[in-house]
Amino acid sequence: MIIPKNQAEIDSYLLNEKIVILQFGSKSCAPCSSIKNKIIEWNKSKPEICHIYIDAEQFSLFTAQNGVFTVPTIFVYVENKLTIRESGYFGLEDILNKTDYYYNMIYND
């Protein structure tokens, strides 16, 4: 998991990585912490996927510019295109299964 220092770092990962999971969360959000831990565990078997945790309070401008007004929010970028976007109450397993699909298309062809 990557905790970015600035927006330029986030932009660099989006441009240079094939699959990026952006997770928007906050310290006061218990579901955010649980989701983060589940993604970290899932990501161990797919280290090619870049998981970035964005503190919504620290990156408030970036968060607002991306239309994120609630946490938890997950964006999945595939080859620099927003492919999956979920906010609030969602099934993490569904997101990870869809991400697996793109992972298999890119890395197992």
Side-chain angles (χ1 to χ4, degrees):
M1 180 188 68
I2 297 164
I3 299 176
K5 295 175 185 65
N6 53 51
Q7 187 172 336
E9 187 177 353
I10 297 167
D11 293 340
S12 176
Y13 283 112
L14 291 174
L15 287 172
N16 295 308
E17 299 293 330
K18 292 185 184 286
I19 302 176
V20 177
I21 297 174
L22 286 184
Q23 179 192 356
F24 295 85
S26 75
K27 294 174 187 139
S28 61
C29 171
C32 297
S33 179
S34 176
I35 289 168
K36 177 173 61 174
N37 291 335
K38 288 177 183 177
I39 294 174
I40 289 169
E41 190 61 35
W42 173 85
N43 200 210
K44 288 179 182 177
S45 66
K46 295 165 182 64
E48 301 88 353
I49 295 177
C50 179
H51 173 212
I52 301 174
Y53 183 83
I54 297 173
D55 184 315
E57 293 149 3
Q58 179 183 353
F59 287 92
S60 58
L61 180 60
F62 178 77
T63 300
Q65 288 172 337
N66 283 280
V68 175
F69 301 107
T70 187
V71 292
T73 293
I74 302 273
F75 289 179
V76 179
Y77 284 84
V78 178
E79 296 181 337
N80 201 27
K81 291 184 177 85
L82 181 59
T83 308
I84 301 168
R85 177 188 173 123
E86 296 289 341
S87 276
Y89 184 78
F90 54 82
L92 180 60
E93 291 303 315
D94 187 43
I95 293 170
L96 297 180
N97 287 337
K98 289 176 183 175
T99 304
D100 272 334
Y101 171 79
Y102 293 110
Y103 175 86
N104 288 326
M105 282 181 39
I106 292 171
Y107 292 103
N108 293 331
D109 270 353

